[in-house]
Amino acid sequence: MTTTHTHTRPHRRSLWPAPEGDAVLVIDQRLLPHQLVVERLASVAAVRTAITDMCVRGAPLIGAAAAYGMALQCRLAADDASLRATQAWLDSARPTAVNLAWATQRVLQALLPLPVAARPVAAWQLAAALADEDVATNAAIGQHGLVLLQALAARHPGRPLNLLTHCNAGALATVDWGTALAPVYAAQAVGLAVHVWVDETRPRNQGASLTAWELGQQGVAHTVVADNTGGHLMQHGQVDVVIVGADRVTARGDVCNKIGTYLKALAAHDNGVPFYVALPLSTLDRTVHDGVAQIPIEHRSPREVTHITGRNAQGGLTEVQLVPDGSPALNPAFDVTPARLVTGLITERGVIAATASALAATA
Ligand code: MRU
């Protein structure tokens, strides 16, 4: 693996402010697991491009990055109209994960009452506070999830608990800890043995490249499986629990997450395997109810389906074509799992039912 450490990375953080205070630093997730490179984002344009190109990705992380994008732009123009234009531009970078708009709205709301001259410093402090808040939120999700894992493990004494996850909802998808993987790290901290089945997560392979990398870095036992494997494992009693993250959860508990999540939920339901979704409450969109009908699903380049990049024998990265010349491809990036398939929502305030009444009570 190539490692470029131009800046010291705080322990396991995916995003942190440059010591000089003039940029935000992120791990370039397009290059993992083969190269660990830190990118320096010094303008709102650089932040937006990092989000659209998936240098930074994962719902909570793009929210934190966008908050820094607002703060960087604030130094150039901090009047109301400029702030609103920057917010709209950042929000349009990726349409599905609601944390992005949640973060820019929080920054905007905090800045508008302030004198224009005070806004740049306040915006930077606010972005840092949002990032720190994400870490604390995810740590709390980890503790609530740990209680669930301990209860499940008690049913299977003498062997590790087998957990299946999809995509990457780990530390890399957040500022730290992750959402779906936070309970895994909490379990590791108390010595509870957990083995993670890692869905590869075609087409961008966030499981194979990111989740496998971060679990390996943390010393967590894991096995990468092709996306089609989960149902088979469940039929054979090899999955005790599924935990995934979310990009948007509706007021009635429908869960929008990485494409393929829905199929895992169906298989879990058919096999009596508990299916949990871990999320900060900032992922909850109280304005939408029917996730299938109302959540905008990002469609990405067909090239992500038709081509794949990996490390070649010389150690460099190579892209190869998978499909015949001329075959069209379709690439919806997310799907919606209906609330009826969700066993529970692991939030920073505890585990709650995926129902309208339970979610309304969190307001
Ligand atoms: O397209 P991505 O890689 O940004 O999608 C990420 C996911 O689907 C995650 O599961 C979700 O954002 C939750 S991250 C804690």
Side-chain angles (χ1 to χ4, degrees):
M1 183 171 82
T2 309
T3 308
T4 308
H5 278 306
T6 45
H7 304 275
T8 307
R9 176 188 176 204
H11 174 64
R12 213 176 50 190
R13 286 225 175 184
S14 308
L15 167 151
W16 63 102
E20 304 81 18
D22 59 348
V24 63
L25 306 177
V26 296
I27 293 176
D28 188 342
Q29 301 197 23
R30 297 165 302 181
L31 302 176
L32 289 174
H34 306 300
Q35 297 171 2
L36 178 57
V37 172
V38 174
E39 280 287 330
R40 179 183 167 82
L41 310 176
S43 68
V44 68
V47 168
R48 191 178 186 281
T49 302
I51 294 171
T52 54
D53 290 356
M54 295 183 66
C55 167
V56 291
R57 35 67 52 201
L61 188 64
I62 60 177
Y68 274 105
M70 293 282 285
L72 287 164
Q73 181 61 13
C74 224
R75 294 172 180 182
L76 304 178
D79 59 282
D80 291 13
S82 300
L83 288 179
R84 288 186 199 283
T86 302
Q87 178 194 31
W89 194 52
L90 283 166
D91 287 357
S92 68
R94 294 193 75 190
T96 304
V98 78
N99 307 62
L100 176 53
W102 170 87
T104 59
Q105 181 62 17
R106 266 193 66 181
V107 174
L108 185 77
Q109 270 176 352
L111 295 184
L112 287 180
L114 302 180
V116 171
R119 290 176 180 178
V121 170
W124 193 257
Q125 289 170 346
L126 193 60
L130 276 180
D132 288 345
E133 188 182 305
D134 182 63
V135 179
T137 297
N138 299 329
I141 288 171
Q143 291 306 311
H144 293 301
L146 172 61
V147 176
L148 284 177
L149 296 188
Q150 285 170 323
L152 287 165
R155 293 188 208 161
H156 308 288
R159 66 159 174 84
L161 192 73
N162 285 308
L163 182 151
L164 183 141
T165 194
H166 191 70
C167 193
N168 172 264
L172 285 168
T174 63
V175 181
D176 198 352
W177 286 101
T179 56
L181 294 188
V184 172
Y185 297 132
Q188 185 186 37
V190 298
L192 178 70
V194 176
H195 164 262
V196 182
W197 296 111
V198 178
D199 278 357
E200 61 177 348
T201 319
R202 283 283 291 146
R204 286 191 66 96
N205 297 308
Q206 288 95 329
S209 58
L210 303 178
T211 300
W213 180 79
E214 77 163 76
L215 289 176
Q217 294 283 307
Q218 297 299 313
V220 174
H222 64 280
T223 306
V224 180
V225 289
D227 287 330
N228 307 324
T229 308
H232 167 81
L233 294 173
M234 292 181 206
Q235 284 177 324
H236 290 270
Q238 291 177 276
V239 181
D240 301 310
V241 60
V242 179
I243 307 184
V244 298
D247 287 83
R248 198 185 292 220
V249 172
T250 73
R252 72 179 192 192
D254 291 349
V255 171
C256 184
N257 191 49
K258 181 53 55 191
I259 193 80
T261 301
Y262 172 45
L263 290 178
K264 291 298 138 65
L266 284 171
H269 190 254
D270 196 43
N271 288 282
V273 173
F275 182 92
Y276 287 99
V277 179
L279 67 144
L281 286 169
S282 54
T283 301
L284 183 59
D285 183 352
R286 299 180 194 277
T287 69
V288 299
H289 296 266
D290 180 339
V292 174
Q294 293 179 283
I295 295 178
I297 299 294
E298 175 184 13
H299 278 246
R300 297 188 60 84
S301 168
R303 198 173 176 89
E304 293 181 353
V305 178
T306 58
H307 291 66
I308 199 162
T309 299
R311 186 170 58 196
N312 59 35
Q314 288 72 44
L317 298 185
T318 302
E319 185 189 61
V320 294
Q321 180 177 323
L322 294 171
V323 306
D325 288 342
S327 283
L330 182 74
N331 188 13
F334 301 95
D335 63 23
V336 173
T337 298
R340 65 186 164 78
L341 299 176
V342 177
T343 308
L345 303 169
I346 310 171
T347 76
E348 66 270 34
R349 292 212 228 142
V351 181
I352 59 177
T355 62
S357 55
L359 286 166
T362 64

